[in-house]
Amino acid sequence: MTSQVDVTESTADGPPERRPVAEHDLRPQGKQVKQLDRVVIRFAGDSGDGMQLTGDRFTTETAGFGNDLSTLPNFPAEIRAPAGTLPGVSSFQLHFADHDILTPGDAPNVLVAMNPAALKANLGDVPRGAEIIVNTDEFTKRALTKVGYAADPLDDGTLSGYSVHPVPLTTLTVEALRDSGLARKDAERAKNMFALGLLSWMYHRPTEGTERFLRTKFAKRPDIAEANILAFKAGWNYGETTEDFAVSYEVAPATAAFPPGRYRNISGNLALAYGLVAASRQSGLPLFLGSYPITPASDILHELSKHKNFGVRTFQAEDEIAGIGAALGAAFGGALGVTTTSGPGVALKSETIGLAVSLELPLLVIDIQRGGPSTGLPTKTEQADLLQAMYGRNGEAPVPIVAPATAAECFTAALEAARIALTYRTPVFLLSDGYLANGSEPWRIPEPDELPDLRPVFATEPNAPDGSGEFWPYLRDPETLARPWAVPGTPGLEHRVGGIEKQDGNGNISYDPANHDHMVRTRQAKIDGIARSIKPLDVDDPTGTARLLVLGWGSTYGPIAAAVRRVRAAGGQVAHAQLRNLNPFPSNLGEVLAAYDRVLVPEMNLGQLAHLVRAKYLVDATSFTQVTGLPFKAEQLAGALTAHLDQLEAGND
């Protein structure tokens, strides 16, 4: 399905071994090399400076080298925000290490600022002592004034306490491309490759992959490809020869972080797309995606459109309602129907989701959550659609909810959502978010025999218990309460489905009060019964004596787990549980909650999971919330956990 990168390969008599990543020694000659266990780098510039591409290339080479990693792309909603302004700043943060890590890092150790706006927008996140590489060519009086600098921060003491490397990136790039034949404006655009080459030298990243990438990307413009490669090499050579960079750094591969296997770097949206293709193959059903483009879900549509060879059909509809309507129609026809969207689109799709509940057909509704309400923050992350997924339909219309915890886990979440939908004949929500969708991490590519068998059983003959020879579409499986799925056109299986209430069993239209009560309760019982098929909630409580439980869901996993590590390292005892199934909850959740004196629920909303937990289990769960459009920081959560532990220790329950 895609190119793959070997990170570890199992050996017969020992731990995983690393493959060589380059043909030459990556260590700089004649300069000091320091060993580090982890680094956080942030590239920042205008949205037209290529920061996302630069970060992505550095990430790809880092994955190939064998480090564990986590990324945080952060970019404006505008396609091209005004150049040199604070709203137009785009950044890409990468955390990589020689051990397993969980987050993109709280603060950068290195900031690459391509202009004054990038410096001002990001300086508050940079701790004293960190390295700052600035493109001095862009620090003109006009550019400084545009972002509110009265004086040049490179000269007025603003950056005292930092290790500042002033580099005329634009001038050096243009000089390196002097003989390329490119106009100056075109040559300047390669300055991001100069920066990438410099950082690749600083951290001993392989170079061959980037050169191959550039030649492939610009295959129709070989002059542009070679110019970018020249700029990339010039950046590397600048680091090797200049006296300003006297030290380079080495972060060894994370040999012990990964079980043996074949790995690649993957983003949440890409993992989700691959999971949907895998679900289609494992179910034996053609995959149909009905979707309307919306940030941050559009990448799934883009990726799936590449895989027609796997029986994938993608339909870019004229609006959200048409997209889900087509997907539901495909499900009626016997396909694996999927629709992708974000919060505003879920609101528009709600009536059709209710119809899917009534029809009792399998349908995957994938919501890549973003900041709201309304248009809100299209490129920023949030977890504020939980209650909408839970209750956002008229009538009693229960829908199962699955939420992946990591970018790589989006693959298995897609398979799990498909399993529930196909087994129980129901629409299923999959709640990801912008943080998972755009961030990336290493993913072990599963072997085919590790994937679940999702093949459904279709109705093939009449089933009426009265011997009439008719097909009853609502005669249920006694174990799952799922109704039979009959592909239209199957001889003898003509039947009626629709949004008007149906008679249990034969499916005729019914306005009988008792029947409606029975059908409503049966549909709810079907969803409740899914709990028997999902894994019990796992609790990370090494000593078994913790009094504080941190309960999370979805993408809060990384920051929570990192914070728990910090607190335990300081001597604190805290337990952690992460929900992946939110409707129904795991069957043991009530028992888990009752085992702890205090339950803290961090969420990127105003307490939606805490609300559900309080209502269902009568537990006084405490919310810890944030709606900044950014993920939690581990230090921030560690402080909150410590404060709660101190209160428990003091007897303030």
Side-chain angles (χ1 to χ4, degrees):
M1 292 165 59
T2 186
S3 60
Q4 300 168 349
V5 177
D6 278 325
V7 176
T8 61
E9 293 183 351
S10 57
T11 58
D13 55 357
E17 294 182 351
R18 295 286 164 172
R19 223 170 49 165
V21 295
E23 296 178 357
H24 60 273
D25 188 356
L26 296 171
R27 296 188 178 195
Q29 304 301 310
K31 290 193 175 185
Q32 181 184 1
V33 178
K34 288 186 178 181
Q35 299 290 326
L36 299 175
D37 65 344
R38 53 178 289 274
V39 176
V40 180
I41 298 173
R42 184 182 296 178
F43 298 94
D46 270 336
S47 56
D49 282 340
M51 294 297 94
Q52 301 305 315
L53 175 63
T54 304
D56 183 69
R57 288 311 311 162
F58 195 94
T59 299
T60 298
E61 299 301 342
T62 296
F65 189 75
N67 297 117
D68 196 11
L69 62 90
S70 180
T71 68
L72 178 62
N74 190 4
F75 41 86
E78 291 78 11
I79 294 174
R80 185 65 173 92
T85 63
L86 294 175
V89 173
S90 173
S91 68
F92 188 105
Q93 183 163 305
L94 165 68
H95 183 194
F96 61 103
D98 65 1
H99 56 277
D100 69 306
I101 57 175
L102 298 161
T103 74
D106 285 356
N109 307 114
V110 181
L111 172 65
V112 180
M114 303 297 282
N115 59 23
L119 178 66
K120 188 165 189 177
N122 291 280
L123 187 60
D125 295 334
V126 183
R128 296 285 177 174
E131 294 189 82
I132 300 178
I133 301 171
V134 292
N135 179 16
T136 55
D137 288 328
E138 297 297 322
F139 279 67
T140 64
K141 184 176 181 180
R142 182 172 182 270
L144 293 168
T145 302
K146 187 180 290 188
V147 296
Y149 276 128
D152 191 339
L154 304 182
D155 301 324
D156 67 357
T158 298
L159 302 182
S160 60
Y162 299 97
S163 177
V164 181
H165 301 279
V167 181
L169 287 171
T170 307
T171 299
L172 292 170
T173 301
V174 171
E175 177 63 24
L177 302 184
R178 180 176 53 186
D179 299 326
S180 67
L182 295 181
R184 179 182 177 87
K185 184 177 181 180
D186 291 333
E188 288 179 354
R189 295 178 65 183
K191 62 182 179 289
N192 64 321
M193 288 296 104
F194 189 100
L196 177 60
L198 175 57
L199 269 292
S200 296
W201 172 85
M202 283 183 67
Y203 292 98
H204 307 174
R205 299 298 92 181
T207 61
E208 291 85 351
T210 293
E211 293 180 26
R212 287 194 301 270
F213 167 81
L214 290 170
R215 288 194 172 97
T216 300
K217 180 177 177 63
F218 298 107
K220 296 182 179 180
R221 292 290 307 274
D223 55 333
I224 299 295
E226 294 308 313
N228 277 279
I229 291 171
L230 279 174
F232 176 65
K233 290 181 176 179
W236 177 286
N237 293 331
Y238 179 79
E240 182 73 20
T241 57
T242 184
E243 295 182 0
D244 190 35
F245 292 90
V247 179
S248 67
Y249 305 93
E250 192 170 75
V251 181
T255 307
F258 306 112
R262 191 167 174 83
Y263 285 76
R264 60 155 295 157
N265 184 51
I266 200 165
S267 68
N269 273 353
L270 185 57
L272 224 166
Y274 286 179
L276 292 172
V277 175
S280 171
R281 304 293 285 185
Q282 293 302 108
S283 65
L285 304 177
L287 175 64
F288 181 92
L289 173 68
S291 181
Y292 179 75
I294 184 172
T295 303
S298 298
D299 285 344
I300 302 172
L301 170 62
H302 300 159
E303 182 61 34
L304 287 178
S305 68
K306 303 174 184 177
H307 299 294
K308 295 181 177 66
N309 56 315
F310 287 107
V312 177
R313 298 177 183 176
T314 54
F315 170 55
Q316 181 174 320
E318 66 268 27
D319 55 41
E320 296 281 2
I321 298 172
I324 191 173
L328 183 57
F332 178 66
L336 180 59
V338 182
T339 190
T340 53
T341 189
S342 190
V346 173
L348 292 167
K349 296 178 188 289
S350 61
E351 183 178 6
T352 306
I353 297 171
L355 176 60
V357 171
S358 179
L359 298 180
E360 299 192 46
L361 284 172
L363 175 69
L364 303 188
V365 182
I366 297 173
D367 177 7
I368 313 298
Q369 299 167 96
R370 71 189 205 187
S374 188
T375 304
L377 303 174
T379 62
K380 309 302 180 183
T381 195
E382 207 162 273
Q383 290 182 301
D385 292 348
L386 176 56
L387 293 182
Q388 180 178 212
M390 192 80 176
Y391 300 121
R393 295 161 296 283
N394 66 295
E396 296 289 346
V399 175
I401 303 172
V402 174
T406 67
E409 206 174 277
C410 288
F411 178 85
T412 52
L415 288 166
E416 171 66 0
R419 180 193 71 82
I420 293 172
L422 294 171
T423 302
Y424 294 90
R425 310 286 196 266
T426 178
V428 177
F429 263 107
L430 192 157
L431 297 184
S432 179
D433 59 47
Y435 170 44
L436 294 185
N438 297 317
S440 64
E441 63 180 0
W443 171 58
R444 187 182 71 82
I445 302 170
E447 297 298 327
D449 59 6
E450 296 175 332
L451 301 178
D453 184 351
L454 301 178
R455 289 173 295 182
V457 177
F458 286 102
T460 58
E461 58 187 19
N463 62 354
D466 60 4
S468 62
E470 296 179 349
F471 174 66
W472 284 20
Y474 288 92
L475 193 66
R476 301 177 183 279
D477 181 293
E479 177 67 23
T480 64
L481 298 182
R483 75 171 187 85
W485 192 7
V487 176
T490 305
L493 302 190
E494 296 83 359
H495 61 284
R496 178 188 292 111
V497 294
I500 298 178
E501 187 65 279
K502 302 298 185 292
Q503 177 70 38
D504 186 34
N506 61 36
N508 294 326
I509 291 175
S510 173
Y511 295 100
D512 178 66
N515 176 75
H516 177 61
D517 183 272
H518 171 76
M519 291 293 277
V520 168
R521 295 181 187 277
T522 299
R523 287 189 288 262
Q524 182 64 58
K526 180 176 70 171
I527 303 308
D528 293 342
I530 295 171
R532 294 191 297 270
S533 72
I534 63 179
K535 296 179 181 178
L537 181 63
D538 181 57
V539 182
D540 177 20
D541 186 0
T543 66
T545 59
R547 298 176 61 195
L548 173 64
L549 171 69
V550 189
L551 181 68
W553 71 277
S555 67
T556 57
Y557 169 78
I560 291 174
V564 167
R565 283 185 182 179
R566 295 188 185 192
V567 172
R568 288 175 181 168
Q573 294 187 28
V574 59
H576 174 208
Q578 196 75 12
L579 289 166
R580 275 101 170 161
N581 294 87
L582 293 147
N583 190 32
F585 287 128
S587 58
N588 66 329
L589 178 56
E591 177 184 343
V592 168
L593 296 174
Y596 294 90
D597 294 335
R598 183 171 296 186
V599 177
L600 182 67
V601 186
E603 299 180 76
M604 291 187 292
N605 56 48
L606 296 184
Q608 296 185 18
L609 175 61
H611 173 83
L612 294 174
V613 167
R614 291 190 194 108
K616 185 173 180 63
Y617 299 103
L618 303 181
V619 172
D620 188 19
T622 302
S623 288
F624 186 81
T625 63
Q626 171 179 294
V627 282
T628 62
L630 294 169
F632 284 109
K633 294 183 177 181
E635 181 180 8
Q636 169 192 12
L637 288 178
L641 298 184
T642 301
H644 281 279
L645 288 176
D646 290 344
Q647 292 174 12
L648 288 171
E649 184 69 23
N652 182 12
D653 294 340

